[in-house]
Amino acid sequence: MKKFLFSMLFSLCSLWAFSQVTFSPATFTAEDEVTITLDVSNTPLAGLNDIYIWIFSNDGVGGGKDGLVNGQWTNSSETAKFTKIATNKFTYKFTGTTIFGQSPAELINFGFLAKTKDGSKQTPDYKPYKFDPLVFSPSQFRIFPAKLDQTDMATVYFHQDLATDQNLQRLFDVKVTITFYDGAGNQFSQKANIVAKKESDKLYSYSFIPEKLITLPAGTTLSKFSYQFSGNLKDANGANVPYSGPVVEVAYLTFN
């Protein structure tokens, strides 16, 4: 009987803790922007105006990281500060891949707590909350992740077996050209004819981080990049003839 009562009490406490937290949207992937709404009533933070998030990924499943915004336990970063919307109610916005610096494939769940800046008071842990898996529709050209900023690693893909152009279906010696554009939309830098990685018989890819691929002065903002796969075809005499696919543009996420 005691075990049953303890179990019931634990379940009720868990339900109460989770009822303090809501998300918008209610379900989300690691690439979606999420708004946490937190009610700190009946916690040590009740009545305070300034509270901070302490967030962590992959609770209990391995491969987790603390949020890049956390700062030090005794000195939270200002980027971890919640926005107060009412007495004891606060919101915080984040995107999983950005706040943890992990790819969607690496992110399974996350947890968090709220605390004072100096860590002298805190809420219980709220965890775990699962990220929905990403689902993509194969196409002749695609990028992973689908949403990214200029600090992220991007992988561009050419699915040759899905090409609608017969010349692209026959392409060999496949290369890719990456072009970057500054905040005003002007061409900033280009790396041309990079040898693409052959993932399988009909799949090519190339992965890059802008600051590793080009010279990117501190403070430089990139608005987008484009990629174009190219290669060679054989003409009627067996000679190589260059051929290029379409230019595909990808906009970077911007943060105010």
Side-chain angles (χ1 to χ4, degrees):
M1 184 65 178
K2 287 182 179 179
K3 288 184 178 179
F4 175 75
L5 290 174
F6 178 80
S7 177
M8 286 292 292
L9 180 62
F10 179 80
S11 297
L12 288 172
C13 288
S14 297
L15 287 172
W16 174 79
F18 273 74
S19 71
Q20 292 181 287
V21 181
T22 57
F23 297 100
S24 179
T27 61
F28 44 85
T29 72
E31 291 187 332
D32 294 321
E33 183 178 76
V34 184
T35 300
I36 299 172
T37 301
L38 176 65
D39 184 346
V40 296
S41 301
N42 301 314
T43 77
L45 303 187
L48 298 182
N49 292 319
D50 299 325
I51 67 171
Y52 297 79
I53 198 167
W54 188 271
I55 193 167
F56 44 91
S57 67
N58 293 356
D59 180 71
V61 297
K65 291 185 178 181
D66 285 339
L68 299 177
V69 301
N70 286 359
Q72 302 298 316
W73 179 260
T74 55
N75 185 25
S76 288
S77 164
E78 284 302 300
T79 55
K81 189 174 182 178
F82 279 88
T83 299
K84 185 175 181 179
I85 57 172
T87 301
N88 292 336
K89 288 190 176 181
F90 299 82
T91 62
Y92 190 84
K93 292 183 179 181
F94 77 97
T95 302
T97 53
T98 302
I99 203 167
F100 295 117
Q102 293 179 276
S103 71
E106 294 174 307
L107 289 169
I108 299 170
N109 67 44
F110 73 95
F112 74 96
L113 58 84
K115 60 185 284 292
T116 53
K117 187 176 180 70
D118 64 4
S120 59
K121 296 180 180 179
Q122 67 178 84
T123 65
D125 286 357
Y126 302 106
K127 65 179 186 180
Y129 299 100
K130 289 186 177 181
F131 291 107
D132 280 358
L134 283 169
V135 178
F136 71 89
S137 298
S139 58
Q140 61 179 334
F141 302 109
R142 68 177 177 91
I143 182 170
F144 183 85
K147 300 176 184 178
L148 71 168
D149 65 35
Q150 68 182 62
T151 65
D152 293 325
M153 175 179 285
T155 303
V156 294
Y157 291 93
F158 169 36
H159 289 258
Q160 194 171 29
D161 55 332
L162 299 177
T164 55
D165 180 336
Q166 288 188 351
N167 285 332
L168 288 177
Q169 294 173 9
R170 297 163 46 215
L171 207 64
F172 62 94
D173 291 340
V174 176
K175 298 178 176 62
V176 63
T177 294
I178 311 289
T179 306
F180 297 94
Y181 299 82
D182 63 19
N186 301 312
Q187 183 172 324
F188 174 77
S189 185
Q190 183 181 81
K191 286 290 185 179
N193 298 319
I194 307 165
V195 176
K197 178 181 178 182
K198 192 169 186 178
E199 302 270 3
S200 64
D201 186 48
K202 294 291 183 179
L203 176 61
Y204 295 87
S205 72
Y206 182 71
S207 300
F208 64 92
I209 300 173
E211 65 178 10
K212 303 295 185 182
L213 186 62
I214 61 173
T215 300
L216 195 61
T220 301
T221 298
L222 300 175
S223 61
K224 63 182 178 180
F225 72 90
S226 67
Y227 64 96
Q228 182 182 35
F229 284 95
S230 61
N232 287 309
L233 303 171
K234 291 291 186 181
D235 66 14
N237 298 316
N240 289 349
V241 178
Y243 189 81
S244 298
V247 175
V248 182
E249 290 192 350
V250 179
Y252 282 120
L253 295 173
T254 57
F255 302 96
N256 297 324

